[in-house]
Amino acid sequence: MQGPLKILMTTATVGGIWNYTIDLCKALQFYDTEIHLMAMGSLVNSEQQQQLEQLKGINFYESNYKVEWMENPWEDISMAKQWISSVYSKVNPDIIHFNTFGHVAGDWDCPVVSVFHFCLQTRWSAITGKTSTPDDLKRYRKAVKEALTSACVIVAPTAAILKDAEKIYPVLKHKHKEVIYNGRDTPEFSITEKEPGILTAGRKINDAKNICLLTDVADDLNWPVYIAGTHNCPEEDEDNEAKNINYLGRLPSKVLQDYMKKASLFVMPAKYEPFGLAVLEAAKAGCALALGDIPTFREIWGDAAVYFNPESADEAAAVLQKLTTDHAFREEKARKALERSKKFTVEKMAGSYINLYIDLIESRKIAINA
């Protein structure tokens, strides 16, 4: 290939997709690439601006267009498609990497990669146990199906979420699919310099993260519980709020990492999680892991974590009591999690994407010349 590999990539500034994108772009800079990153969801904040400034040679395009999982996004998505098309025409990229679904379907003359980070339909199905589509998700599901149909290849962060997606979107059974595990560009810390504390991260209103489960068990635990994220729960009775919970609010990434460095135990009671970047960060910070027993966590962490039924407060409490009172057991799990976390690096993630990009481009050349 003559000249740098030109990549047009979309991202959202809200949620974990942003951290994934920044880490991926940072690692892709070690290859001969020219990245054109188009952000939607909201304008970048000061922390995100600092992250962008650390990237060399990236071409950044900013907007506050809504993405498909936001409320009433469809007019914005239509305008965003025109915006993306205009940049595409000027850049003439070798590959398009979509981290959003709403914009994949289009007239593109280069290979298209669509990453299945998560979707509202698989999330709803995991929480309710139903594969049917509620009325308010029908248009969303149609948009995701169109995206999956249009893409040359579908990438998922775990085989488990890909399996769940195939149940909802049968078109996936006939598509080229790849599993590329996420990585996280965070430092590793010692497991010995820890304090007696239980940490979790996520909005309590998010029923997929299931953070509200901790409010049911916190007062039965002998360690303080810290929650990073907004703390409003639906129909929450503040008078009955657990006294053993400390709300940290929304934290910048570096501040959250400082809390992870101190915490002995990280809990994620999720009912639905396609990968779990926060869990990976906590493992790299030397935390022992207590996780909801769902297929994605089992796939990633194996015996390096302790699991509990995310529907059972009693089971969660028993697991947390075991980890807080059994020092040797907790340190063993922390060491295993730290060692396991070394498998999930940004370098490995970026290398897998580069290989995929090149394979798609070469296959397209062969097809054109045939």
Side-chain angles (χ1 to χ4, degrees):
M1 181 181 297
Q2 294 182 345
L5 175 66
K6 289 197 287 186
I7 306 165
L8 179 61
M9 185 182 298
T10 65
T11 190
T13 56
V14 182
I17 292 177
W18 175 261
N19 288 332
Y20 153 91
T21 306
I22 291 297
D23 282 346
L24 178 57
C25 288
K26 188 183 298 183
L28 288 175
Q29 291 179 322
F30 289 94
Y31 299 87
D32 188 14
T33 58
E34 178 185 311
I35 301 172
H36 296 262
L37 180 62
M38 306 189 69
M40 290 161 279
S42 66
L43 301 181
V44 296
N45 58 35
S46 58
E47 180 188 11
Q48 292 169 327
Q49 185 60 48
Q50 290 175 2
Q51 292 172 322
L52 287 167
E53 290 170 357
Q54 295 175 4
L55 300 178
K56 299 178 182 178
I58 192 170
N59 301 276
F60 183 64
Y61 309 80
E62 182 182 19
S63 79
N64 58 358
Y65 290 126
K66 293 180 180 180
V67 292
E68 65 278 347
W69 49 264
M70 294 179 169
E71 187 176 359
N72 299 321
W74 307 113
E75 184 177 350
D76 275 25
I77 284 176
S78 178
M79 292 186 290
K81 281 185 177 181
Q82 298 178 39
W83 178 55
I84 294 169
S85 294
S86 67
V87 174
Y88 165 83
S89 298
K90 295 176 183 177
V91 170
N92 191 25
D94 299 302
I95 198 98
I96 305 179
H97 177 138
F98 282 106
N99 291 306
T100 52
F101 287 127
H103 319 97
V104 178
D107 296 325
W108 318 114
D109 290 329
C110 64
V112 173
V113 175
S114 179
V115 184
F116 200 100
H117 291 287
F118 84 105
C119 92
L120 295 179
Q121 174 69 62
T122 53
R123 176 183 181 275
W124 186 83
S125 296
I127 294 170
T128 64
K130 302 176 182 178
T131 57
S132 58
T133 305
D135 289 342
D136 60 344
L137 286 183
K138 286 183 177 178
R139 187 169 182 180
Y140 172 89
R141 180 170 177 167
K142 182 175 182 291
V144 174
K145 180 182 177 181
E146 290 175 352
L148 300 177
T149 302
S150 301
C152 300
V153 62
I154 310 300
V155 173
T158 55
I161 192 60
L162 196 56
K163 183 177 180 181
D164 288 344
E166 287 180 346
K167 297 175 185 177
I168 305 297
Y169 305 102
V171 66
L172 277 173
K173 296 178 181 179
H174 311 290
K175 297 293 294 187
H176 177 186
K177 302 178 289 291
E178 298 278 350
V179 174
I180 298 179
Y181 290 119
N182 292 338
R184 196 71 180 96
D185 185 23
T186 57
E188 295 174 2
F189 297 101
S190 169
I191 67 171
T192 58
E193 299 176 3
K194 291 289 188 176
E195 300 176 1
I198 301 170
L199 179 66
T200 192
R203 294 178 303 153
K204 280 180 62 182
I205 200 172
N206 186 332
D207 50 1
K209 298 288 188 187
N210 197 30
I211 303 299
C212 280
L213 181 68
L214 286 178
T215 65
D216 296 331
V217 304
D219 285 342
D220 296 326
L221 304 175
N222 56 348
W223 281 7
V225 176
Y226 299 89
I227 298 179
T230 54
H231 68 273
N232 53 321
C233 265
E235 302 178 359
E236 184 174 70
D237 184 353
E238 293 187 4
D239 292 335
N240 293 324
E241 179 69 25
K243 304 299 187 293
N244 193 32
I245 287 183
N246 302 273
Y247 293 107
L248 306 177
R250 185 182 182 277
L251 300 177
S253 295
K254 291 183 179 180
V255 177
L256 177 58
Q257 288 166 18
D258 287 339
Y259 274 96
M260 288 178 173
K261 181 180 178 180
K262 297 177 182 178
S264 294
L265 178 58
F266 186 84
V267 185
M268 183 54 70
K271 299 177 183 179
Y272 172 82
E273 179 59 80
F275 183 84
L277 285 174
V279 180
L280 178 56
E281 289 183 42
K284 287 180 177 291
C287 298
L289 303 178
L291 308 175
D293 194 356
I294 57 176
T296 48
F297 285 158
R298 288 279 185 178
E299 177 182 343
I300 297 167
W301 296 107
D303 66 352
V306 185
Y307 303 92
F308 56 86
N309 180 351
E311 301 284 356
S312 172
D314 290 342
E315 191 172 322
V319 164
L320 295 178
Q321 287 285 23
K322 169 69 173 176
L323 284 163
T324 57
T325 57
D326 191 331
H327 178 81
F329 178 67
R330 184 177 66 253
E331 283 210 342
E332 176 192 3
K333 288 300 179 181
R335 282 192 294 269
K336 284 188 174 182
L338 179 59
E339 188 62 30
R340 183 87 169 182
S341 73
K342 297 176 183 178
K343 295 180 59 177
F344 305 100
T345 66
V346 292
E347 294 81 9
K348 186 180 293 186
M349 174 176 66
S352 296
Y353 275 109
I354 283 290
N355 290 336
L356 175 60
Y357 297 158
I358 293 174
D359 286 346
L360 288 171
I361 293 167
E362 293 302 321
S363 296
R364 188 176 187 86
K365 287 180 179 178
I366 292 172
I368 291 174
N369 295 328

